[in-house]
Amino acid sequence: MAAGTAQETQNFVTLKGSVELIVDFFNYSLNSILYQRGVFPEESFIPTQHYGLTMYMSKMPEIKKYTDEILPHLKKWLTEGKIKKLVLALCDVNSKEPLECWEFRILAEETPTGEIKQQGTKPLKDIQQEIRNVLRQITACVTNMCQRNFVTTFKPNHLKLSAFSKHLKTFKPLTRHVVTVAEAPTLQQSKWIGRWLGTCAGMCFGAVVIGGLTRLTESGLSMVEWSAFGERPPLSQEDWEREFEKYKQFPEYKLLKKGINLEEFKFIWHMEYGHRMWGRLIGAMFVIPAAIFWKKGYFNSALKKRVLIYGTLIGCQGLLGWYMVKSGLEDRFHGEADIPRVSQYRLASHLGSAFVLYSLFLWTSLHHLIPAKVMEVSKAAIKFKRLVHFSKGIVFLTAISGAFVAGLDAGLVYNSYPLMAGRLLPEDWMALSPAIRNFTENPSTVQFDHRTLGHFTVLLLSTVWLISRRIVLPTRARYAANALAAMAWMQASLGIATLLFYVPTPLASSHQAGSLVLLSTALWLSHELKNMKYIPK
């Protein structure tokens, strides 16, 4: 098997194994060196799976032609036992002087009869570890080569495989420094990571739905205390009466729900308690598998950083939720028309952060479960990709505007469509001063904004679908574009129905969940397009 020993002398790699594996792994090493050294643009390499590991291979025709020429010769020399060492030289295209040399020491395994082994039988786990060793050795020693000495159009004779051993004695690297190796998880590990993060995304989706139901049933202010590690639920009649007495001290009971009985209080208390405990369950579902996967070495350095960021966001989301609830418990509702409710600004922040966390979980899960295909496309397809990114942002913005509608109960004014009390613009849309306040504090203006963004979103996503019919796309991307357009119209229909029927809980909850489904389809389409590259001919 092709194996790398941890040599103290830099730029020396030992390849050991059967003929087939040595040839394969020399090819992987060659591409890895070109990728790590930045000889060619990063987008000219594509991630491919070999022996359950992700490796970057050049997709440039000139490189492929070169390897196709030398690898058969290498296989023949190995079979005949004529080669013990290879030297790979990276040369200056102008002076032809070698800037960096790599010596590959060949140890071909033999059969009991003394013949060179053509194929090996090592376990996949051992092969993977040995591949990592060689890639670590290649990555850990990086020469800072002058980029200007390389041309972007590669010619086979600019990279020569020959006996450059004499240069090794006099060769002195320009600068040398150590970098961190970013190993990709194996295919099986990647699938487990994807399933775990997909589960976390699904639980975030559930939290958004439960949170919406908690708001629609006016249950969010029923619990007047908060603890990071959970509150003990009342277990006896005395406990319930004590909890009820606490609730009676706050504005919602005094101004809005005075006179409700204990059974009615139990219902709204359990709604809020369920929402809080679901959030803590998400934290446990994230932290426990993350600790296990981290200990087992499933995460590379990039994924470790993401895991730490995701964990921080989960903690911040819990704190932001309590910060939102506190705004509804404050003694600030003194006007005749004031209704105890949470701040629409904090509600929008809480919902927005939940959407961001869900999006991060879903995006990373898709990356591991259904990696996007790499394909070279036209300029029109690249413009389409940018349009999809823009539409993804508009979907998010429309959802956040919906949070302001919910926070101000703006869905209960102007329950007509398409006009608002017979007008395109509501009569009181600029009733507040200064004017900027109307866009976040005037229910009429907030509803108008949400309608306008909804119309624009449907138009934009319909345009995305029409353009997708005219360009070449991967099959999954086409499915995603179809789903995105269908979901856009369905979400708009739910929104109109919610308005016309005076915000019934089932329709309103479906409309809120629909916004997250719409964002999910936009993320799916964007994910399928992320590896589309335009390479000038």
Side-chain angles (χ1 to χ4, degrees):
M1 168 54 216
T5 59
Q7 305 283 346
E8 289 296 324
T9 304
Q10 303 290 352
N11 293 17
F12 286 82
V13 179
T14 299
L15 303 181
K16 179 181 178 181
S18 64
V19 170
E20 181 181 2
L21 292 176
I22 290 176
V23 171
D24 280 349
F25 201 62
F26 177 75
N27 189 23
Y28 306 151
S29 300
L30 169 60
N31 280 271
S32 180
I33 290 170
L34 295 178
Y35 177 75
Q36 297 288 348
R37 284 345 189 220
V39 177
F40 301 104
E42 184 177 347
E43 58 268 20
S44 67
F45 292 83
I46 57 174
T48 56
Q49 289 284 333
H50 297 284
Y51 299 107
L53 294 174
T54 302
M55 288 179 259
Y56 285 86
M57 305 293 287
S58 174
K59 60 181 179 181
M60 296 180 65
E62 296 89 341
I63 295 283
K64 192 173 186 307
K65 180 181 178 182
Y66 175 68
T67 55
D68 288 345
E69 288 177 358
I70 66 168
L71 293 181
H73 292 293
L74 176 59
K75 185 174 183 179
K76 179 182 177 182
W77 297 333
L78 289 169
T79 302
E80 296 174 353
K82 294 181 177 179
I83 186 169
K84 297 296 182 183
K85 181 170 64 176
L86 293 169
V87 176
L88 174 69
L90 298 180
C91 300
D92 186 296
V93 295
N94 298 316
S95 66
K96 301 299 187 292
E97 289 296 319
L99 296 177
E100 181 165 291
C101 296
W102 287 85
E103 181 176 324
F104 293 87
R105 297 172 179 174
I106 307 299
L107 297 176
E109 293 181 346
E110 298 181 354
T111 64
T113 59
E115 298 178 350
I116 303 296
K117 275 189 180 180
Q118 295 299 309
Q119 294 182 338
T121 57
K122 262 193 176 178
L124 179 60
K125 185 176 181 180
D126 293 346
I127 294 175
Q128 291 172 345
Q129 186 57 49
E130 291 169 350
I131 290 176
R132 289 193 186 99
N133 290 341
V134 175
L135 294 183
R136 182 182 293 111
Q137 186 178 354
I138 290 173
T139 310
C141 167
V142 176
T143 300
N144 183 19
M145 298 183 297
C146 299
Q147 298 295 329
R148 59 184 173 83
N149 286 336
F150 294 92
V151 292
T152 54
T153 55
F154 179 82
K155 297 180 181 179
N157 63 348
H158 289 164
L159 181 64
K160 297 183 179 180
L161 178 69
S162 57
F164 278 129
S165 300
K166 60 181 181 179
H167 290 290
L168 291 174
K169 296 179 181 179
T170 58
F171 172 68
K172 294 182 180 180
L174 302 174
T175 305
R176 189 159 291 195
H177 60 276
V178 177
V179 297
T180 302
V181 181
E183 298 178 14
T186 66
L187 186 59
Q188 184 180 12
Q189 291 172 348
S190 187
K191 294 298 182 185
W192 277 111
I193 293 171
R195 295 184 191 111
W196 161 56
L197 293 176
T199 301
C200 290
M203 294 184 71
C204 284
F205 188 101
V208 171
V209 173
I210 296 171
L213 288 171
T214 302
R215 178 186 54 78
L216 289 166
T217 56
E218 297 181 342
S219 305
L221 300 177
S222 57
M223 294 180 68
V224 297
E225 295 176 345
W226 183 82
S227 172
F229 299 101
E231 303 83 3
R232 184 180 70 86
L235 300 177
S236 64
Q237 184 69 14
E238 292 76 12
D239 290 341
W240 276 113
E241 290 176 356
R242 191 180 305 112
E243 194 71 24
F244 194 20
E245 287 301 320
K246 293 178 184 178
Y247 174 66
K248 290 180 180 180
Q249 307 306 311
F250 289 87
E252 185 176 67
Y253 177 81
K254 294 177 181 180
L255 302 177
L256 189 64
K257 293 190 175 183
K258 195 168 186 177
I260 66 169
N261 57 41
L262 183 59
E263 291 304 314
E264 291 172 321
F265 171 72
K266 286 182 179 180
F267 171 77
I268 61 175
W269 193 94
H270 278 120
M271 286 294 298
E272 173 64 8
Y273 182 73
H275 182 48
R276 293 190 185 189
M277 294 309 294
W278 186 262
R280 294 183 177 100
L281 187 60
I282 293 174
M285 184 63 204
F286 177 81
V287 170
I288 295 173
I292 295 172
F293 291 156
W294 193 305
K295 184 176 181 181
K296 289 188 174 182
Y298 281 26
F299 300 150
N300 58 23
S301 58
L303 200 50
K304 286 179 180 178
K305 293 175 184 176
R306 290 188 185 184
V307 167
L308 292 175
I309 292 172
Y310 297 170
T312 303
L313 287 176
I314 291 174
C316 291
Q317 178 70 353
L319 293 173
L320 186 55
W322 173 241
Y323 181 62
M324 176 190 71
V325 170
K326 278 186 66 177
S327 66
L329 300 175
E330 297 168 353
D331 186 19
R332 59 184 179 89
F333 307 98
H334 303 297
E336 292 184 2
D338 283 352
I339 298 175
R341 58 162 69 100
V342 299
S343 162
Q344 70 270 27
Y345 298 103
R346 299 185 192 183
L347 174 62
S349 300
H350 188 50
L351 183 66
S353 62
F355 272 46
V356 169
L357 185 60
Y358 169 80
S359 301
L360 292 172
F361 279 145
L362 180 63
W363 183 269
T364 311
S365 175
L366 291 174
H367 172 75
H368 288 279
L369 292 178
I370 49 171
K373 294 183 178 179
V374 178
M375 60 182 299
E376 298 178 14
V377 296
S378 63
K379 284 186 177 180
I382 295 299
K383 291 180 180 179
F384 174 74
K385 178 180 176 181
R386 293 170 185 158
L387 180 63
V388 170
H389 282 305
F390 175 70
S391 66
K392 185 171 55 176
I394 293 298
V395 169
F396 180 82
L397 181 62
T398 305
I400 298 305
S401 74
F404 282 92
V405 172
L408 293 170
D409 289 329
L412 297 175
V413 298
Y414 296 105
N415 296 95
S416 59
Y417 186 84
L419 300 179
M420 303 177 73
R423 299 167 58 98
L424 287 174
L425 277 172
E427 190 173 1
D428 57 342
W429 79 295
M430 281 291 161
L432 302 181
S433 181
I436 191 67
R437 288 179 55 205
N438 289 281
F439 294 96
T440 55
E441 298 179 16
N442 185 339
S444 300
T445 311
V446 166
Q447 189 194 117
F448 173 76
D449 293 343
H450 189 55
R451 287 188 184 211
T452 304
L453 282 170
H455 294 152
F456 180 67
T457 300
V458 172
L459 178 63
L460 177 62
L461 298 184
S462 298
T463 303
V464 167
W465 179 77
L466 289 173
I467 296 176
S468 74
R469 313 301 297 173
R470 301 177 182 177
I471 60 177
V472 178
L473 292 175
T475 303
R476 288 204 308 258
R478 194 166 298 284
Y479 289 155
N482 294 339
L484 183 61
M487 192 59 218
W489 284 95
M490 185 180 299
Q491 175 67 354
S493 301
L494 280 171
I496 294 169
T498 301
L499 183 70
L500 295 179
F501 287 97
Y502 292 86
V503 197
T505 297
L507 276 177
S509 180
S510 299
H511 184 52
Q512 180 169 322
S515 66
L516 202 50
V517 174
L518 185 62
L519 180 61
S520 301
T521 53
L523 286 167
W524 177 27
L525 177 57
S526 182
H527 165 76
E528 295 299 337
L529 304 179
K530 71 175 185 178
N531 286 334
M532 286 172 46
K533 305 290 183 182
Y534 172 69
I535 300 180
K537 302 298 182 183

